Amino acid sequence: MTRVIKARHLFTALVTVLALVPPTASADAGPTPRTGHDHGHDQAHWTGTWETAPSGTAPALPGASIRNVVHTSVGGSAARVRVSNRLGTAPLQLDAITVALQEWGRPTSPNAAPGSLRVATFAGRRTVTIPVGQDMVSDPVDLPIPADANLLISVHTPADSGPATYHRSAFQANFLAREGDRTADEPGAAYTVTLGNWYYVTGVDVLGAPAAGSVVALGDSLTDGTGSTDSTNHRWPDLLAARLRTLPAHRRLGVLNAGISGNRLLLGSGGPSALTRLDADALSRAGVRVVIVLEGINDIKGTPEQTDPLAIEDAYRRIVERAHARGIRVVGATITPYGGYGAYTESREAVRLTVNAFIRNADLFDAVVDFDAVVRDPADPHRIRPAYDPGDHLHFNDTGMQALADGIDLDTLLL
């Protein structure tokens, strides 16, 4: 595997301070979260433990309670929750939000662990109205958060606030109680409907994590988790988090999954483009130290297809420039093979190979992880190894996801 490692900065910025400060104006910049309250805590102590990126909208669920199940990468002494109306068209009213530990050992259960349920507030209030195009962050929730655990983030929407900002492909069982505020219920009996999406919730940060910060995985369906087993947290960012938890605290990182199925670098297909959402989904997250970029296959094979490798390479440059302006390292990942997939053509493959040569050799990224080399079939390098293929010749099963996570040199993530 080829790795390019170089020191670009003479200092490491306290980027977590920027997590809740509007980014430098940019034509590519997306919206940035706002706090509901000045918490009185040193922002540098907050670390992102879980993230999902808004991918679109779904019809509102007025009067319903939604119980989102999310998985932590690092733990801490308290939590705060990010909720989003980023893609909505009207102010979003939420009149109850709670945080709890999920019943241990039952990842498809709506039950909260006894005694763990807490109310989340915004500026001391249980209700919050989120403006159009914004995320908001709760006050600290006094609940010790374990690493490698499932949390229940339950929200109640009292009225129709218009299209709901959501993440379409959770690959995790979430739950709906059709009527009434059931956010304070420990037993999950009222949550009779299973959902495959995350509604409104876009992140969880923890206080005082034994970690040096967080790493964001910016990507498409390969990062989002397509092909992995539902409700098992076998996406490659989850498996990377498991590797990082074995390291000493000064080298450990929380892992934030900013993958969106269908996402592209340049066009808004499968959610906002990577360039559009870079600030909101990556650069402004709490504690971010490094971003791993695995994007480009949908630009190459999508409609309209990107036939000019230079356009993709320019997008990478813009990502790196904007991240470096924040003191954030960028690891470039080569684009994995897709021979045998329906959209495969020789001309598109030529673009992929050209882009990969650029990633390896252009000396742009702070480091390179050669995912292409990790997963390609030695007998047919245009395809992924059969042992990693869930059957569509594009995505990765659990074994392939583990190979991706194992292919990352952990020493490249921090200097």
Side-chain angles (χ1 to χ4, degrees):
M1 176 171 50
T2 301
R3 299 184 180 94
V4 181
I5 309 170
K6 57 185 176 293
R8 288 186 179 271
H9 311 295
L10 297 179
F11 63 93
T12 301
L14 292 176
V15 293
T16 50
V17 176
L18 297 174
L20 301 173
V21 177
T24 303
S26 166
D28 297 322
T32 299
R34 306 191 315 176
T35 54
H37 183 59
D38 178 2
H39 303 316
H41 291 286
D42 180 357
Q43 298 298 332
H45 290 269
W46 288 100
T47 302
T49 188
W50 174 84
E51 172 188 356
T52 193
S55 66
T57 60
L61 298 168
S65 297
I66 303 160
R67 182 153 279 183
N68 299 281
V69 181
V70 310
H71 190 72
T72 64
S73 55
V74 292
S77 61
R80 63 185 185 187
V81 178
R82 297 176 176 233
V83 289
S84 181
N85 191 26
R86 195 187 307 171
L87 304 178
T89 59
L92 169 63
Q93 298 179 25
L94 299 175
D95 67 351
I97 302 173
T98 62
V99 180
L101 301 178
Q102 186 184 44
E103 181 180 19
W104 183 254
R106 298 188 61 192
T108 59
S109 168
N111 297 332
S116 70
L117 195 141
R118 304 287 189 276
V119 173
T121 61
F122 293 77
R125 299 176 181 174
R126 296 192 176 197
T127 63
V128 63
T129 299
I130 305 172
V132 173
Q134 295 292 327
D135 292 359
M136 292 190 72
V137 181
S138 76
D139 303 329
V141 177
D142 187 15
L143 175 67
I145 304 296
D148 192 24
N150 281 355
L151 305 180
L152 306 179
I153 313 294
S154 304
V155 301
H156 180 248
T157 57
D160 188 341
S161 296
T165 295
Y166 85 144
H167 184 89
R168 181 179 61 256
S169 304
F171 305 106
Q172 169 63 53
N174 302 290
F175 305 98
L176 173 71
R178 292 187 182 279
E179 296 183 359
D181 178 6
R182 311 309 296 256
T183 59
D185 290 8
E186 281 190 354
Y191 291 90
T192 57
V193 178
T194 301
L195 301 173
N197 331 101
W198 285 305
Y199 278 76
Y200 301 120
V201 178
T202 61
V204 178
D205 305 330
V206 291
L207 185 65
S214 61
V215 53
V216 176
L218 183 69
D220 48 40
S221 58
L222 305 179
T223 300
D224 203 7
T226 301
S228 64
T229 303
D230 282 6
S231 300
T232 62
N233 301 300
H234 284 167
R235 313 164 194 87
W236 71 259
D238 298 308
L239 300 172
L240 172 62
R243 292 187 64 206
L244 287 164
R245 282 193 293 272
T246 67
L247 299 181
H250 72 278
R251 295 184 58 215
R252 197 175 305 153
L253 295 167
V255 179
L256 304 178
N257 189 331
I260 296 178
S261 294
N263 203 228
R264 300 172 68 148
L265 285 163
L266 297 166
L267 298 178
S269 172
S273 72
L275 285 171
T276 300
R277 67 190 184 91
L278 179 64
D279 284 336
D281 287 343
L283 305 186
S284 66
R285 293 288 171 154
V288 61
R289 299 283 300 276
V290 59
V291 177
I292 302 173
V293 180
L294 176 57
E295 289 260 15
I297 188 61
N298 291 317
D299 297 81
I300 294 170
K301 71 174 184 60
T303 303
E305 65 187 281
Q306 181 53 253
T307 60
D308 183 2
L310 294 178
I312 296 174
E313 294 164 11
D314 179 65
Y316 292 146
R317 287 191 182 93
R318 292 157 71 184
I319 289 172
V320 170
E321 288 171 359
R322 288 165 58 188
H324 284 178
R326 300 284 195 99
I328 297 170
R329 290 167 50 78
V330 183
V331 175
T334 52
I335 301 172
T336 52
Y338 72 113
Y341 185 71
Y344 178 89
T345 65
E346 290 186 1
S347 61
R348 290 171 176 171
E349 176 70 349
V351 175
R352 184 183 76 89
L353 295 176
T354 300
V355 171
N356 278 351
F358 172 84
I359 293 170
R360 294 183 183 107
N361 302 319
D363 203 35
L364 172 67
F365 296 101
D366 298 288
V368 169
V369 55
D370 199 342
F371 280 159
D372 173 45
V374 168
V375 302
R376 68 188 177 215
D377 184 353
D380 187 353
H382 304 294
R383 292 174 177 257
I384 62 176
R385 291 175 180 264
Y388 300 162
D389 189 349
D392 66 4
H393 314 304
L394 171 67
H395 298 100
F396 297 97
N397 58 23
D398 293 353
T399 304
M401 290 289 185
Q402 187 69 64
L404 293 175
D406 290 343
I408 298 171
D409 183 348
L410 302 185
D411 289 336
T412 66
L413 300 182
L414 287 175
L415 287 182

